[in-house]
Amino acid sequence: MKRKTCVGSPVPEADPQRPGQGAGSGAGPAPAYVALAGPTACGKTAAALALAARLPVEIVSVDSALVYRGMDIGTAKPTPAERAAVPHHLIDIRDPREAYSAAEFAADAARLVREIRARGALPLLVGGTMLYFKALFDGLAAMPAADAAVRAALDAEAAALGWPAMHARLAQVDPVTAARLAPHDSQRIQRALEVWQISGRTLSDWHARQTAPADTAAEVNGLTHGVAGLKPSGAASMPPALFISMEPEDRAWLHGRIAQRFEQMLAGGFLDEVRALRARGDLSPDLPSMRCVGYRQAWEWLDTQGGDSPLDAATLRERGIAATRQLAKRQITWLRSMPARQVIAGDPPQALERVVQTIERAWAHLAPCSERRSGSPS
């Protein structure tokens, strides 16, 4: 059964001063968009697709791996059929040799939210790249510019000690940032230590300082730098009025799903996908795309296959699952620092329906006379 769209009833703007209010709250402005976050393998995609079968939804991916073309299996990218059933955005927009920053995401997502709302649909931002969410919700703090001499010194230390040792050093001065980074995430560890050495302030402190707009700033690979203490131009905050976070009550449930999904990726041809990427000849394990969880481990495993001591498939499986579990832990750490979120447990059998019903209530408040479709939007 369909209800007619109310002509001349524009979707109201979200109030940037009142994050987390509006949708289903009975007070405050209606939301401009809905955000759905959670750790990897928690069921976000399934919930989004279930919602799209009941509401006019367009999905905006909030995932730094899904932006890359040719990286389908290891990213658990939505299938062609799923993407045909409901519009998806910010997927397959970069070649793996290219970077895509949090600042670029924030600008793209803000534009897409406006365009989707103009079409009368609900913008649903779904993913697990928490820095992208933060960039959109809060803006990005600009930071000290890169210093070639400091970076060269840090590279030399890392060559002697290893990046895990540099990560341990970061944990001593900035435990908040270190908790969000993997011990081998060389580029982000280097940037965090660089910011601390140049400014005497930690990266987490810079991120916490969200002040007036600045005229110039740059953001590279998820870490900003530019005019000290100021937001980049155009980085005004754009918080959602409904921010749902699917988080497991039982961590073992999530670990089981992570293991099952990685095994399915291996069975689905993940190694062949990485072999094809390596065969291009213009990619390296230092690129942001190849540092994605799973791809890094597969690349390193394939490196051993031509040597004297090749690793067996069980080792790849163990390393891939362990790295994905570490990613999930870091994602949960990010989420717990975001108080505006509404937590819905991801592991109970009714979790998916709870997510869908919560967003349906938000949509009723957002556009109470909108046409409800039994399928995805056209």
Side-chain angles (χ1 to χ4, degrees):
M1 180 176 174
K2 295 183 178 180
R3 295 185 295 178
K4 296 296 184 181
T5 303
C6 285
V7 178
S9 299
V11 179
E13 295 288 344
D15 183 347
Q17 302 301 318
R18 305 181 69 179
Q21 296 188 19
S25 66
Y33 68 95
V34 171
L36 175 60
T40 186
C42 73
K44 300 182 296 294
T45 298
L49 293 173
L51 180 70
R54 290 157 61 167
L55 291 182
V57 164
E58 295 190 33
I59 295 172
V60 178
S61 170
V62 189
D63 191 307
S64 60
L66 294 187
V67 301
Y68 293 114
R69 295 185 289 271
M71 295 172 57
D72 302 333
I73 299 171
T75 61
K77 191 172 288 181
T79 66
E82 290 169 339
R83 292 167 67 180
V86 55
H88 284 69
H89 304 277
L90 301 187
I91 294 177
D92 290 344
I93 61 171
R94 289 290 187 276
D95 184 86
R97 69 178 180 276
E98 299 172 332
Y100 185 67
S101 71
E104 289 175 299
F105 166 81
D108 288 342
R111 170 182 55 80
L112 286 165
V113 164
R114 291 191 296 269
E115 293 173 356
I116 294 167
R117 287 176 53 196
R119 291 191 285 270
L122 171 64
L124 180 63
L125 277 65
V126 183
T129 299
M130 303 309 164
L131 184 60
Y132 284 10
F133 278 121
K134 178 177 174 58
L136 183 63
F137 294 177
D138 302 329
L140 283 168
M143 299 178 194
D147 187 304
V150 172
R151 290 193 169 191
L154 290 169
D155 282 338
E157 288 185 78
L161 303 174
W163 283 108
M166 304 298 282
H167 182 266
R169 178 188 300 178
L170 177 63
Q172 293 177 342
V173 298
D174 188 357
V176 174
T177 298
R180 295 170 178 167
L181 301 181
H184 291 280
D185 193 344
S186 58
Q187 191 160 2
R188 289 179 172 85
I189 294 169
Q190 180 195 62
R191 178 58 181 158
L193 288 170
E194 177 189 39
V195 168
W196 175 65
Q197 289 191 18
I198 291 173
S199 68
R201 287 170 45 196
T202 65
L203 188 66
S204 57
D205 182 46
W206 281 104
H207 281 166
R209 290 171 61 91
Q210 302 294 334
T211 57
D215 292 331
T216 60
E219 197 278 341
V220 179
N221 293 328
L223 299 176
T224 54
H225 50 84
V227 179
L230 301 179
K231 283 184 189 176
S233 178
S237 60
M238 187 176 173
L242 177 61
F243 177 29
I244 295 177
S245 176
M246 296 180 68
E247 300 174 28
E249 292 180 330
D250 181 2
R251 198 71 64 90
W253 170 85
L254 184 62
H255 291 171
R257 286 176 61 91
I258 287 171
Q260 181 183 40
R261 189 167 76 171
F262 195 77
E263 289 166 353
Q264 290 172 343
M265 289 175 179
L266 290 174
F270 177 45
L271 279 174
D272 288 336
E273 181 174 83
V274 179
R275 287 189 182 100
L277 292 166
R278 287 165 59 98
R280 286 179 36 157
D282 61 346
L283 302 178
S284 77
D286 295 325
L287 289 168
S289 59
M290 295 300 101
R291 293 201 310 270
C292 291
V293 166
Y295 288 87
R296 176 197 292 272
Q297 290 72 35
W299 191 292
E300 292 173 348
W301 184 85
L302 287 169
D303 277 343
T304 74
Q305 298 309 292
D308 297 331
S309 303
L311 298 174
D312 59 21
T315 300
L316 171 60
R317 177 188 177 279
E318 292 168 4
R319 290 182 178 179
I321 291 172
T324 310
R325 287 171 60 167
Q326 290 165 4
L327 169 64
K329 181 179 179 180
R330 294 192 300 272
Q331 290 170 317
I332 292 171
T333 298
W334 265 98
L335 286 165
R336 288 176 176 170
S337 73
M338 303 171 86
R341 78 196 194 284
Q342 177 176 336
V343 178
I344 294 181
D347 31 352
Q350 66 274 21
L352 187 148
E353 183 62 23
R354 284 191 61 198
V355 171
V356 170
Q357 289 181 357
T358 301
I359 298 175
E360 281 186 318
R361 288 193 295 271
W363 175 246
H365 186 64
L366 173 65
C369 296
S370 287
E371 181 181 28
R372 292 177 67 104
R373 298 178 175 89
S374 59
S376 60
S378 57

